[in-house]
Each structure stands twice: as structure tokens, then as C-alpha cells.
Amino acid sequence: MVVVSAYSQTPKQWRDSLSVLNGLIQYDPNSTSLHLRKAAVNLQLLEWENAIEECNSVLKNDKKNLPALYYRAYANNNLRRYELARNDYEDFLKISPYNMEAGLGLAYTFTCLKRYDEALDLLNNLVEMYPDSSVIYVARGELEKEMKSYDIALYDFNRALEITPYRQDIVVSKVEVLLALNRRKEAKDFLDEAVRNGIPKGILRDWYLKCRY
């Protein structure tokens, strides 16, 4: 599994890490692990171009390096270079076809390119591979919501909530769909249920207001 970061630091700590890595790379400029570590820190600091440069250094010598492909795709998505991101995600998945993060990244890229059918096909495959992942149901629900397939999106958000009950972002997504379906009372009742189960009411204030109109 490829992840951008396994733990969190403050921006200052990330910059301190970057300074250390820059020094180490001066002494060992051909180290793949150092370039990848630096790329990961660049991503944390939103330094997309710098991350791409580090990944390019790795991929020049190892075209199938999975972390470098993933990081570069992630950076290009944030720069809205979606075709470049698509190429890297697809190359990644040719090597590791069951990687959930890369599959989700490619589905997001397809969505940004308005290639909804391809994004949906990919998410359907991911649901089959990872039927207990709420993240995938949420991703598919968000795509269906964008496609205005609200009834199907509601199913996916309900499925996600079965796996991770009362997670705030999923609650909000479900309420958005209910409002789009003009089911305001049901949306308000669900908000009440979410508050009873631990979500602070103040956080949901705007959604309560939308249920009135």
C-alpha cells in the first residue's frame, strides 16, 4: 500500500525534515529512498513541483517505482494536470492492479476529466474488491451525486454509514442527497439522530437551516 504520510507533523517540523533530507541528498544524490522521502515531505508542504522533480529523479532510473508514480500522480492532480496524473496512475495499476489508493486516485482523475463512466466503472470494481471499505462507497456516492443519480448515491452513503457510523463528512453527504431529493423532514430527522450519536449540533447548523426551506 502506498501512502503519502504515515504520521502528522507541524509545518515547521516538515520544513526541518526537508532541510535534513536536502543535506543527506548532497552526500548521496543517487539514493532512491532519500528522494522519495523528500518527495513525501514536499507533498505535505504542498510543494507540488518540487515533489514532481524528486519523483522524476527516481523514475529516470526506475520507471516502475510505485511510490514515485503515486506521488507524481498525486502532485499532478493538485496542479490540475489530469492527463499526466492519469498516465501515472494507469502505469501504477498495470504493476499493482489491486491497490486501493491508486484506484481511488485514478477514479478522482477521471472525474476531474468529466469521464464519469470510466470513473464509475473503476469504483464499481473497487467496491467488488473492497466491499468493507467505507471510503470507496463515499467516493462512488460523491460521483453519483455529481451525476445527479441521487437515489443510487443515497444507497452508497447509507452503506458507508453502516461501516463507519455517524462520520461527520458522510452524514453531511447523505443530508445533501436527501435535500436534493426534497426529503427535508428525513434530512432533519437524520441530523437529529447524528447529534444524538455524538456530532456537535453547531457543526451541522447550516444543514439544519437548509432543512427549513
Side-chain angles (χ1 to χ4, degrees), residues 116-133:
Y116 296 137
D117 288 342
E118 289 165 279
L120 189 57
D121 285 345
L122 186 53
L123 289 169
N124 288 340
N125 289 335
L126 286 171
V127 166
E128 290 184 11
M129 288 190 284
Y130 300 98
D132 296 322
S133 171

Side-chain angles (χ1 to χ4, degrees), residues 77 81-83 85-87 89-91 93 102-123 125-126 143 146-147:
N77 260 346
R81 299 171 183 167
Y82 300 123
E83 288 292 350
R86 178 184 64 83
N87 290 337
Y89 281 130
E90 288 181 342
D91 286 343
L93 289 167
L104 286 169
L106 181 56
Y108 172 78
T109 304
F110 279 143
T111 301
C112 292
L113 290 167
K114 308 298 182 185
R115 294 165 59 171
Y116 296 137
D117 288 342
E118 289 165 279
L120 189 57
D121 285 345
L122 186 53
L123 289 169
N125 289 335
L126 286 171
L143 173 60
E146 186 164 340
M147 298 171 69

Side-chain angles (χ1 to χ4, degrees), residues 4-211:
V4 173
S5 174
Y7 57 96
S8 61
Q9 297 188 57
T10 66
K12 181 182 183 305
Q13 288 172 323
W14 284 120
R15 294 198 178 280
D16 289 343
S17 297
L18 192 61
S19 296
V20 171
L21 287 167
N22 283 331
L24 292 172
I25 288 172
Q26 286 184 349
Y27 289 102
D28 191 2
N30 297 317
S31 170
T32 294
S33 63
L34 289 175
H35 284 293
L36 289 174
R37 286 166 60 190
K38 184 181 176 187
V41 174
N42 290 142
L43 293 178
Q44 291 293 334
L45 292 169
L46 312 185
E47 297 175 351
W48 313 122
E49 294 285 5
N50 290 339
I52 290 170
E53 183 178 341
E54 297 303 318
C55 293
N56 288 342
S57 296
V58 173
L59 291 165
K60 182 170 62 175
N61 299 313
D62 179 7
K63 294 181 180 180
K64 295 183 178 182
N65 187 284
L66 291 179
L69 287 170
Y70 184 89
Y71 292 161
R72 191 168 70 177
Y74 184 87
N76 274 318
N77 260 346
N78 280 279
L79 290 169
R80 299 185 180 182
R81 299 171 183 167
Y82 300 123
E83 288 292 350
L84 293 175
R86 178 184 64 83
N87 290 337
D88 281 341
Y89 281 130
E90 288 181 342
D91 286 343
F92 185 113
L93 289 167
K94 287 174 186 175
I95 303 166
S96 181
Y98 301 108
N99 185 276
M100 185 175 73
E101 287 83 1
L104 286 169
L106 181 56
Y108 172 78
T109 304
F110 279 143
T111 301
C112 292
L113 290 167
K114 308 298 182 185
R115 294 165 59 171
Y116 296 137
D117 288 342
E118 289 165 279
L120 189 57
D121 285 345
L122 186 53
L123 289 169
N124 288 340
N125 289 335
L126 286 171
V127 166
E128 290 184 11
M129 288 190 284
Y130 300 98
D132 296 322
S133 171
S134 64
V135 174
I136 298 172
Y137 285 106
V138 169
R140 191 169 69 174
E142 291 295 342
L143 173 60
E144 290 157 345
K145 187 170 67 175
E146 186 164 340
M147 298 171 69
K148 301 187 186 305
S149 299
Y150 297 122
D151 287 317
I152 305 173
L154 186 59
Y155 166 84
D156 277 334
F157 291 131
N158 281 333
R159 184 70 185 90
L161 286 164
E162 290 174 9
I163 300 168
T164 52
Y166 304 107
R167 203 178 81 187
Q168 181 184 324
D169 60 324
I170 309 176
V171 167
V172 167
S173 291
K174 178 177 176 177
V175 169
E176 287 177 337
V177 170
L178 289 171
L179 291 173
L181 291 167
N182 202 29
R183 292 158 62 173
R184 290 184 175 81
K185 183 180 185 305
E186 188 175 344
K188 196 268 183 186
D189 290 345
F190 180 62
L191 288 172
D192 290 341
E193 180 183 331
V195 169
R196 288 195 298 271
N197 283 276
I199 298 181
K201 189 170 184 177
I203 292 176
L204 300 173
R205 180 176 178 275
D206 289 345
W207 303 105
Y208 271 104
L209 291 174
K210 291 179 182 180
C211 290

